[in-house]
Amino acid sequence: GAPGGPPARTPVVIITDIGSDIDDSWALALALRSPELDLKMVLTDPADTQYRANVTAKFLEAAGRGDVPIAIGDNGGPLGDDSKNLAPWIAGYDIGKYPGKVYKDGVRALINLIEESPSPVTIVAIGPVHSLALALKQAPGIAAKCRFVGMYGSFDVGYGGGPPSAETN
């Protein structure tokens, strides 16, 4: 920002598998309450992407942020946690009435946003990033215009004490 003025806000895209556990809902709420972030888009990924977009849209409307664009990711990604804990909450919700933009081709929307951004876009991945992988295959040049924030690894002991588990949050 200008000297003495507010600092420049960081343009952010959140890639989320919202709609099962509470973690992604909390992360989205935190991003909305962070004045240093300029939330440019929420991309739902990697499977059940329409369900996740409905959850995102209703959440954003409830938060008074129906201006944030939603991008529906490619539905062909690996299905992780397929529980739909928020299905009762979105029952009857019509995403067609969402006041903001909803992109049916989330991969193309992500590419366009990054290519058109005057400054680097920070990708905050709080779930698997199948659609980001597709975007990088289609437009490898976007990698130079992004920053990536995510955790991708595994636990030595899995959930519930089971075998090692992949983790993408």
Side-chain angles (χ1 to χ4, degrees):
R9 296 173 69 211
T10 302
V12 170
V13 171
I14 292 179
I15 301 178
T16 179
D17 61 348
I18 196 169
S20 52
D21 293 331
I22 194 68
D23 56 342
D24 289 53
S25 298
W26 277 107
L28 181 55
L30 179 62
L32 294 173
R33 299 282 299 176
S34 299
E36 67 275 15
L37 302 180
D38 181 8
L39 185 57
K40 295 292 189 183
M41 179 185 298
V42 177
L43 172 63
T44 59
D45 220 10
D48 289 332
T49 54
Q50 185 64 59
Y51 161 74
R52 297 177 196 291
N54 290 344
V55 170
T56 302
K58 187 167 182 182
F59 186 99
L60 289 170
E61 279 194 78
R65 289 300 309 274
D67 60 302
V68 176
I70 297 168
I72 303 171
D74 183 87
N75 209 39
L79 183 62
D81 183 352
D82 64 350
S83 59
K84 294 184 177 176
N85 296 334
L86 295 178
W89 184 61
I90 63 165
Y93 179 76
D94 180 3
I95 197 170
K97 294 181 180 173
Y98 181 71
K101 182 73 177 155
V102 176
Y103 297 97
K104 293 192 184 304
D105 183 350
V107 174
R108 176 49 48 194
L110 179 64
I111 292 168
N112 290 346
L113 185 142
I114 294 168
E115 288 179 342
E116 295 168 7
S117 178
S119 59
V121 175
T122 298
I123 306 292
V124 177
I126 54 176
V129 290
H130 174 71
S131 293
L132 176 60
L134 293 174
L136 288 166
K137 284 180 186 174
Q138 291 178 27
I142 65 171
K145 295 192 71 180
C146 298
R147 295 184 183 124
F148 182 81
V149 178
M151 183 194 90
Y152 290 88
S154 64
F155 296 118
D156 289 334
V157 177
Y159 293 103
S165 301
E167 179 54 58
T168 55
N169 286 308

